[in-house]
Amino acid sequence: MDNEIVEKRSLTPAVDLFVVSAPEIASHCEPGQFVILMAGEKGERVPLTIADFDRDEGTITLISQRVGKSTHYLGTLKAGDRLYSLAGPLGLPAHVHEKYGTVACVGGGVGTAPLYPQARALKAAGNHVIGIIGARTADLLILEEEIKGVSDEFYVTTDDGTKGEKGFVTTVLERILLEKQVDRVIAIGPVLMMKFVCRLTEEFGVKTIVSLNPIMVDGTGMCGACRVTVGGETKFACVDGPDFDGHQVDFEELMERQRFFREEEELAFEKYKQECRRNADG
Ligand code: FES
């Protein structure tokens, strides 16, 4: 049945993986594209980049981190449940079917999920793929085996040193940039991580593509919620992206806009938690 969750797994205590039946989307989605889903009738619209797809099975894989009310509710759904709505594929496909040479694929936290299909396609196109993934701590690392499986070289970092190298993805990336020629960098993760990766690669003159995940509402370029400034021009991440040349992105503005609704989000989440507690108490 369309929109049915056929598999659900927890990747970390706060990150869920869903394989969803969506034959129409699976038939023509490409790495880099995303969907907007509503877990329940009253939920928010949640944009999630497609982490994998299986055209034969007619399924797509979505990975969601529980951060607010809607993503926590999504996390309560199980295999056999249906998403209330699912729209996509949205956005432009990433340019990952070309041969650039050596490509460093850098993923931070849950950003590793959308990185995976891009790394896989770059590898299939004959690129030498260097996978670098990082998280705050070992428990928050996801898709390690998957990224490793499509990488010619593979590195893991954690901020606290609980796995791989202690430090940030940029520490490893800088070392690699000093050692060898890298022709392109793909960076997907927290905005701050992407900003620092771009600052670094700019020094080395290596083109860097980032995938932006601003607040989205309609996903069709009509509402303006996902406005970002790239190269001094206004762009809409949902139709002009989500991938952009990282050296052109105004990261300060993006971070500012992400903070816009934080108070409302926290209030909604608090209310939701109280409702859940009331329901649990009967
Ligand atoms: S989400 Fe509305 S314009 Fe992009």
Side-chain angles (χ1 to χ4, degrees):
M1 208 191 315
D2 276 14
N3 299 5
E4 183 179 337
I5 298 168
V6 293
E7 186 190 337
K8 149 118 185 261
R9 267 190 285 141
S10 291
L11 297 184
T12 77
V15 177
D16 304 302
L17 176 147
F18 300 90
V19 180
V20 182
S21 173
E24 188 57 31
I25 298 173
S27 70
H28 62 284
C29 65
E30 288 289 339
Q33 291 187 296
F34 66 96
V35 294
I36 291 189
L37 66 81
M38 283 172 73
E41 193 178 350
K42 295 204 185 122
E44 279 171 303
R45 296 159 63 85
V46 180
L48 288 175
T49 311
I50 298 168
D52 204 355
F53 50 87
D54 186 325
R55 301 209 200 281
D56 297 331
E57 293 290 324
T59 58
I60 58 170
T61 301
L62 303 172
I63 293 180
S64 160
Q65 182 169 16
R66 284 179 243 152
V67 284
K69 179 186 167 188
S70 299
T71 45
H72 268 81
Y73 177 70
L74 177 63
T76 65
L77 300 186
K78 308 173 291 298
D81 290 337
R82 280 186 82 196
L83 300 173
Y84 178 72
S85 76
L86 183 63
L90 300 166
L92 301 174
H95 296 283
V96 285
H97 299 300
E98 281 120 273
K99 187 164 176 181
Y100 301 104
T102 296
V103 184
C105 293
V106 186
V110 83
T112 305
L115 183 73
Y116 171 57
Q118 297 210 21
R120 183 176 58 185
L122 285 160
K123 173 77 180 155
N127 293 285
H128 180 88
V129 172
I130 303 175
I132 309 170
I133 64 169
R136 277 205 320 277
T137 186
D139 286 353
L140 300 175
L141 285 166
I142 61 164
L143 303 188
E144 239 182 295
E145 287 310 311
E146 285 81 352
I147 299 282
K148 190 176 175 185
V150 296
S151 299
D152 296 283
E153 297 172 47
F154 179 65
Y155 304 89
V156 172
T157 68
T158 47
D159 299 7
D160 62 1
T162 42
K163 186 139 196 197
E165 282 188 46
K166 185 174 185 330
F168 304 111
V169 286
T170 40
T171 319
V172 174
L173 181 61
E174 181 169 24
R175 201 171 61 224
I176 291 167
L177 289 169
L178 286 166
E179 275 169 10
K180 62 175 75 174
Q181 156 131 10
V182 173
D183 302 291
R184 200 176 186 89
V185 173
I186 314 287
I188 311 181
V191 178
L192 208 57
M193 181 209 93
M194 294 192 285
K195 176 181 148 180
F196 284 117
V197 166
C198 290
R199 201 181 268 180
L200 176 67
T201 55
E202 205 163 12
E203 281 174 35
F204 287 83
V206 182
K207 179 137 180 158
T208 301
I209 305 297
V210 294
S211 177
L212 304 185
N213 191 11
I215 294 161
M216 289 192 189
V217 180
D218 68 329
T220 59
M222 304 293 286
C223 73
C226 67
R227 178 167 65 77
V228 288
T229 304
V230 182
E233 285 177 30
T234 295
K235 300 277 180 194
F236 298 115
C238 68
V239 287
D240 300 317
D243 287 8
F244 292 101
D245 179 342
H247 297 158
Q248 305 291 324
V249 171
D250 184 339
F251 285 107
E252 304 307 323
E253 181 196 60
L254 182 60
M255 287 189 284
E256 186 59 35
R257 286 180 64 81
Q258 275 194 328
R259 284 192 284 267
F260 258 18
F261 298 105
R262 188 151 295 166
E263 212 172 300
E264 285 84 346
E265 280 168 6
E266 278 167 10
L267 271 174
F269 187 32
E270 221 15 78
K271 231 174 113 195
Y272 171 70
K273 283 193 285 190
Q274 283 171 9
E275 268 168 37
C276 291
R277 276 197 291 271
R278 265 201 303 276
N279 291 342
D281 293 343

